[in-house]
Amino acid sequence: MTIAWDKTLLVGDVGGTNARFAIAHMIDGKPVLEHHESFKGADHPTFLSGVKAFIDGCTVKPTSGVIAVAGPVTDGAIDLTNSPWRVSEEELGTLGLNPVRLINDFEALAWGAPVVPRDELASLGGPEEGDPDSAIAVLGPGTGFGVSALVRDFHGREMAMPSEGGHACFAPGDPVEDEILRILRRRYDRVSIERLICGPGLLNMHRALAEIDGRETHIDDPAQITEEAMADPRSACGATLARFCAILGAVAGDIALTTGARGGVYIAGGIAPRILPFLQASPFRERFERKGRFMDYMKAIPTHVILHKHAALLGAARVAFAEAR
């Protein structure tokens, strides 16, 4: 990617729950972020007002930028999948941003993953390094479930693939998951990965497992499930979170096969860092590698959790400086 060195650009990462913004500079060939600000989407009635509030607080006003958003971007506009917010690049232009670009949030993470410092990655198994000339995949649960990949060639060129892979069908891996799917089909005509592997999905899974076990549950907050699971892995909540991690591993493996991600698989999103010790001790890696004849192929792929809180902003900054050349 061609980069500019003398620009002050806006970068953003807007999800279903939270919005993060920063000012980006390029120093020694690497994106550097400053003037971070985070707030809940509910704090502002519209996407545009949230962006304006951030710009108003900047001493030096950005004149262009890139904002990553949780959902598909169509003709320069976004209607967030898990939020009432919607906006277009044309509307953002009224704030003095020209040019401004909207990209998918996991597309930004795919650009950002390679420049996340090594000490901000946590291993989930496999070798430390993957094939440097192969694709990487980035995926993970938060308010929803995001998927992207960064394709590489032997000339060092890269291209991020926006995706809505979280809405692909859920594929059960054992009889218990067959039953989970059967139960969820009573509520959803079509059960996607996101119906299970995200915050609300964790609650769906907990209730389904309770029904399978013939017990009642009165939990209605996914955070309570993770808190109780971390405190007592042998509890019912511990069983739910272990199943969540196992299915996440299976899905990550499927995506690695689909994208040819021999360069590595990175787990992003808000949930994985919060449950990291549990996730590392879970069946995640076993289910990741359990791909029949392709087990040796899977064993050679590293898996990491991205701990950097602003990895999507780093990716948006790489795109912004390429656009500003």
Side-chain angles (χ1 to χ4, degrees):
M1 299 177 70
T2 303
I3 55 175
W5 302 87
D6 58 350
K7 303 287 185 179
T8 299
L9 305 180
L10 168 74
V11 291
D13 174 23
V14 180
T17 304
N18 297 303
R20 301 172 182 86
F21 294 99
I23 294 298
H25 302 278
M26 190 67 77
I27 299 176
D28 295 331
K30 295 182 179 180
V32 176
L33 307 174
E34 63 180 31
H35 191 76
H36 299 90
E37 186 173 342
S38 300
F39 52 82
K40 292 189 179 298
D43 292 346
H44 293 275
T46 67
F47 194 126
L48 205 63
S49 66
V51 178
K52 183 178 185 302
F54 174 79
I55 292 174
D56 286 346
C58 295
T59 303
V60 178
K61 309 299 183 188
T63 57
S64 61
V66 171
I67 300 175
V69 290
V73 178
T74 305
D75 296 328
I78 175 67
D79 186 347
L80 272 76
T81 304
N82 293 298
S83 166
W85 272 11
R86 54 184 55 82
V87 78
S88 68
E89 293 170 352
E90 183 178 0
E91 290 174 292
L92 288 166
T94 65
L95 301 180
L97 298 171
N98 185 26
V100 62
R101 186 175 168 197
L102 295 169
I103 64 174
N104 175 265
D105 57 341
F106 270 76
E107 180 185 356
L109 281 165
W111 284 117
V115 296
V116 170
R118 179 62 61 179
D119 62 0
E120 301 234 38
L121 298 173
S123 176
L124 291 178
E128 192 65 24
E129 301 285 346
D131 180 352
D133 296 319
S134 293
I136 65 170
V138 183
L139 57 111
T143 305
F145 187 87
V147 178
S148 185
L150 189 72
V151 180
R152 295 161 164 165
D153 68 16
F154 290 103
H155 301 288
R157 292 173 298 200
E158 298 176 326
M159 178 58 66
M161 298 167 50
S163 161
E164 291 302 320
H167 299 285
C169 289
F170 165 59
D174 63 21
V176 172
E177 291 168 18
D178 289 339
E179 195 65 12
I180 291 172
L181 177 59
R182 185 189 66 80
I183 290 169
L184 263 62
R185 274 184 176 150
R186 296 202 304 256
R187 181 176 179 185
Y188 307 108
D189 179 57
R190 176 182 176 276
V191 180
S192 68
I193 296 165
E194 188 171 281
R195 296 299 189 187
L196 286 164
I197 307 300
C198 67
L202 184 62
L203 192 58
N204 285 339
M205 191 181 307
H206 188 68
R207 289 169 175 167
L209 289 172
E211 182 175 334
I212 292 168
D213 293 342
R215 56 181 170 79
E216 292 187 0
T217 178
H218 301 289
I219 292 177
D220 59 6
D221 182 357
Q224 185 179 347
I225 297 172
T226 57
E227 289 168 8
E228 292 190 17
M230 299 285 281
D232 182 5
R234 297 185 179 183
S235 65
C237 288
T240 297
L241 193 59
R243 180 65 62 172
F244 180 94
C245 294
I247 296 174
L248 175 60
V251 169
D254 287 344
I255 292 167
L257 286 172
T258 303
T259 59
R262 303 177 83 171
V265 172
Y266 295 82
I267 308 300
I271 294 176
R274 294 201 297 268
I275 64 169
L276 182 60
F278 194 106
L279 181 57
Q280 289 174 319
S282 78
F284 172 93
R285 183 70 193 192
E286 185 272 325
R287 289 289 296 273
F288 178 85
E289 293 181 1
R290 199 181 80 188
K291 300 300 179 186
R293 293 171 293 171
F294 273 74
M295 184 172 287
D296 288 343
Y297 181 101
M298 303 305 294
K299 286 180 181 293
I301 299 175
T303 48
H304 292 95
V305 173
I306 295 176
L307 303 179
H308 196 296
K309 293 182 179 180
H310 302 301
L313 294 179
L314 290 177
R318 291 188 71 195
V319 177
F321 279 99
E323 296 285 321
R325 64 183 183 272

